[in-house]
Amino acid sequence: MQQSHAYNDTSLELTAKILDAKARKNLSFEDLVEGTGLGLAYVTAALLGQHPLPENAANVIGKKLDLDADSVARLQIIPLRGSLSGVPTDPTIYRFYEMIQIYGTTLKALVHEQFGDGIISAINFKLDMKKVEDPEGGHRAVITLDGKFLPLRPF
């Protein structure tokens, strides 16, 4: 039977345990995703407390991190999602906030113009990030947000 968290407290404790084990074993999120059959962004979000893992994936990661049976079981519980409130203070996260502050209304206008009234799902969703060379030197981050459009249904 599927279970669901009602509060973030237990997820935060498990996330701290996971990040500690990941660091002690010098593993990357890519190392952890191997053998799960899931995508890097999904597994990373799950390990940070934002998604449940299927039993098989939870077991694979549990073995890699030497997690106890209780922690492996807790990885499978549907979390209370949402990890931020207010304006973020971490510079990396703040830049995403800044992007939405600047381009949020543009994205909204274009979504509604091209699709109609509705939203882009963050549940039926895919996320990908690639590091690419910048022709002007250095690197660029190419981030793809791929969400299903859900039209407003008048009632």
Side-chain angles (χ1 to χ4, degrees):
M1 171 190 290
Q2 292 184 336
Q3 300 294 324
S4 178
H5 282 296
Y7 301 98
N8 280 328
D9 298 352
T10 57
S11 295
L12 294 174
E13 175 193 326
L14 180 57
T15 297
K17 186 178 195 178
I18 287 166
L19 293 177
D20 181 57
K22 177 183 170 291
R24 275 187 289 104
K25 292 178 164 287
N26 196 30
L27 295 170
S28 68
F29 285 112
E30 287 181 350
D31 294 330
L32 295 174
V33 80
E34 287 176 22
T36 65
L38 299 171
L40 177 61
Y42 185 90
V43 170
T44 302
L47 297 179
L48 296 176
Q50 298 302 306
H51 293 307
L53 286 174
E55 183 178 4
N56 180 58
N59 286 324
V60 167
I61 289 169
K63 286 179 184 157
K64 290 181 182 185
L65 295 176
D66 295 325
L67 298 177
D68 58 37
D70 180 60
S71 295
V72 171
R74 289 169 52 203
L75 281 171
Q76 299 168 63
I77 296 175
I78 299 167
L80 183 66
R81 292 178 172 99
S83 58
L84 304 174
S85 61
V87 177
T89 57
D90 177 84
T92 302
I93 297 172
Y94 178 80
R95 292 300 173 240
F96 286 101
Y97 175 79
E98 180 181 46
M99 288 175 214
I100 294 301
Q101 287 291 348
I102 294 169
Y103 293 104
T105 53
T106 300
L107 291 166
K108 177 185 172 19
L110 292 173
V111 164
H112 293 301
E113 185 175 287
Q114 294 179 22
F115 293 90
D117 192 5
I119 62 169
I120 304 298
S121 174
I123 300 299
N124 190 337
F125 184 81
K126 297 176 186 170
L127 169 81
D128 189 40
M129 186 180 82
K130 292 184 178 16
K131 179 179 176 183
V132 298
E133 296 294 323
D134 186 336
E136 298 174 8
H139 297 94
R140 299 187 69 80
V142 177
I143 300 167
T144 303
L145 307 174
D146 180 351
K148 181 175 182 172
F149 178 75
L150 303 172
L152 174 72
R153 293 186 181 164
F155 56 96

